[in-house]
Amino acid sequence: MAVDQVRTRATGFSSGSRAVHRLILAASLTAAAVSIPAPTQAAQALAAAPLAAAPRETSCVPGTSTASDEAIAKQLRPLMNGRRLGSLVSGRAIACARVIVARVKARDLPERAAVIAITTAITESTLNNHRVALDHDSLGLFQQRPSQGWGSTSQLVDPAYATDAFLKAMLRKLPGGAWMTGGIGAICQYVQTSAYPGAYTPEVHDAALIVASLWTGGASPAPATPGTPSASPAPTGPYQAVTATAETEIGTLTGRHDLLMADWNGDKHNDLLVVNGSGLATGKTEVRVMDGARDYASLLLTTATAVPATDERHDYTAADWNGDGRPDLVVVQKTGTGSGKVEIVVADGASSFRNLTLTTTTSLAADGRAQFAMTDWNADGRPDLVAVRTAGTASGKVEVQILDGASNFQRDLVPSITTAEPAQDGLQAEVLDWNHDKKPDVVLVRKPATAAGKTELHVLDGAAGLSRTLVKQSTVLGLADDRFALLLTDAGDGKRPDLVVIQKTGTANGRGHVWVIGG
């Protein structure tokens, strides 16, 4: 049988009927085509569109981010000020930072290493885990290049591997703990060898905030204010929240340093005065002034003053002694004087503290039991000296003595005042106009005895001769040890003074860290 005959039988058509079959099939297809609706514009667009590209970034952890990550991002947004991430920080970015912090801890490295690594990742990738190269063959959080020996493509988009690779390079390039000192931006650049070496430093502030929020486990979205509990959200009200943070350029401070607040340059922002009394090559008391308008990150002045070397026998305060609109440096020697009396030296602010405008011996005994402040108590245009004895008084109460500035502190303005506040070791006294009634008040900063307690502010009413307590205000601040300085600063805006907390030593990046607790 011919092959064609077999095929014809299998299809049910004879060879003679094939032409008819073709005509019927063609007619059927033509009729069917008439009933097919024309494609819509949306369908045409969909058909014309290419297949969806694979994502250029991938999350650092399964599920992208946690509720805790989102909460931390929300808390940090108003505080972040970097150029790359800043107020756009997301929970996804925090999740990536969390991986970096975990790898730093796994290598038993200190907090500073995490700040360095996260500063680098913010600068390089804005804390995005790039799986598609954007610049040459750079990949991942740190934009590391396979061609430069950092690892394979798959390894560099693994955040844990990428972090380990960065840390290994840092430890190799800066052996012996050399990365523990110096500017963090410079360290990042030394490890990365970027074409833009100045890009890292502006991100250090944000990195430090993120690390502070994650280092203790990330249970609390708040920055690591000393003594702040890592539990539920902070209560609302005065002194219950950190309203700003900053890093200064002052570096690590020792016991020789004292900190003051004053508007040095007349721009309506209180600047930070760092007074270093001893151990200096100049043999003089030296002062640095950090610009308050720039979050204390910019240096306004550094100088050796006309005041000889000073030490723990001295107190320092700032006041406009000569009425020229510039704060002067007032140095009070409270013990160990040749006269047996408290002695005062005033260095002129207008001369950058290089000229002395007053050297005097007061009528107060130099027993070392008082804290000193300067304020115009009687509104005669001349600052007066306020001596507050906070411990060791015969009455067991805080006692205050005010000496008249117009007499060069030779006579009392008012009889010695015994307040209702109990005396206590470690009590800190500040003098300012708390309630803006044009009368200076005395604020006692009571630090807690235990970590479970809170720092309190007790305000003695100057208008009532300090005979009554205006307010007893609890704050969010817990136990702050000797690493921290506490200052009250009045912005002159009619609001309560803010409580400024400055960590002088033990910071992750070696710089002074500032928290502002809003009044």
Side-chain angles (χ1 to χ4, degrees), residues 29 41 56 96 127 214 349 411 426:
L29 290 174
Q41 289 183 343
R56 300 177 69 88
C96 289
L127 280 175
L214 296 175
R411 65 172 181 265

Side-chain angles (χ1 to χ4, degrees), residues 87 308 471:
S87 61
V471 65

Side-chain angles (χ1 to χ4, degrees), residues 426-442:
L427 197 60
Q428 179 178 329
E430 302 279 342
V431 179
L432 46 75
D433 185 2
W434 172 272
N435 55 353
H436 302 283
D437 64 352
K438 309 299 182 183
K439 191 68 177 178
D441 308 301
V442 173

Side-chain angles (χ1 to χ4, degrees), residues 60 73 77 81 96-97 136 161 166 201 228 239 258 267 304 316 321 339 379 390 416-417 445 489:
C60 292
R77 278 181 199 124
N81 59 17
C96 289
H136 296 89
Y161 176 92
F166 174 83
T201 297
T228 301
Y239 305 104
D258 269 58
D267 65 353
Y316 312 90
W321 170 255
S339 64
T390 57
S416 181
I417 301 167
V445 182
T489 178

Side-chain angles (χ1 to χ4, degrees), residues 121-386:
I122 291 174
T123 306
E124 296 288 355
S125 68
T126 325
L127 280 175
N128 283 309
N129 189 26
H130 291 289
R131 64 189 303 272
V132 175
L134 302 178
D135 177 25
H136 296 89
D137 57 341
S138 301
L139 295 167
L141 286 172
F142 296 89
Q143 289 293 278
Q144 295 152 327
R145 300 179 62 184
S147 63
Q148 301 298 315
W150 284 96
S152 68
T153 298
S154 60
Q155 287 174 327
L156 296 183
V157 296
D158 174 358
Y161 176 92
T163 302
D164 284 342
F166 174 83
L167 295 173
K168 288 177 184 177
M170 180 184 76
L171 296 173
R172 184 182 71 252
K173 290 186 174 185
L174 295 163
W179 53 274
M180 286 295 292
T181 59
I184 282 183
I187 292 170
C188 298
Q189 168 62 17
Y190 193 73
V191 177
Q192 295 289 98
T193 59
S194 168
Y196 304 96
Y200 298 101
T201 297
E203 314 308 330
V204 174
H205 170 265
D206 287 2
L209 282 179
I210 292 172
V211 172
S213 295
L214 296 175
W215 190 256
T216 57
S220 170
T225 311
T228 301
S230 57
S232 55
T236 58
Y239 305 104
Q240 299 305 310
V242 175
T243 57
T245 66
E247 281 187 345
T248 77
E249 295 290 340
I250 57 178
T252 299
L253 303 179
T254 68
R256 297 194 305 267
H257 296 82
D258 269 58
L259 305 180
L260 311 172
M261 286 283 190
D263 183 5
W264 162 256
N265 56 357
D267 65 353
K268 308 301 182 184
H269 290 88
N270 279 311
D271 307 306
L272 180 63
L273 280 65
V274 183
V275 184
N276 191 354
S278 59
L280 300 165
T282 61
K284 301 288 188 179
T285 295
E286 297 186 0
V287 174
R288 280 178 287 169
V289 183
M290 312 304 298
D291 189 1
R294 297 180 179 271
D295 293 331
Y296 317 113
S298 177
L299 186 66
L300 289 174
L301 174 72
T302 180
T303 185
T305 72
V307 181
T310 50
D311 51 33
E312 67 278 356
R313 297 173 299 168
H314 298 80
D315 270 357
Y316 312 90
T317 187
D320 183 8
W321 170 255
N322 54 5
D324 64 354
R326 297 295 295 273
D328 305 308
L329 177 65
V330 182
V331 181
V332 182
Q333 185 169 350
K334 55 189 177 181
T335 187
T337 61
S339 64
K341 302 289 186 179
V342 170
E343 297 179 357
I344 291 179
V345 173
V346 180
D348 180 28
S351 70
S352 296
F353 312 120
R354 294 187 179 96
N355 295 327
L356 298 182
T357 59
L358 177 69
T359 300
T360 188
T361 299
T362 74
S363 60
L364 285 176
D367 56 14
R369 294 191 294 115
Q371 299 177 45
F372 294 92
M374 295 280 280
T375 187
D376 187 2
W377 189 268
N378 58 352
D380 66 349
R382 178 68 82 175
D384 307 303
L385 182 67
V386 181

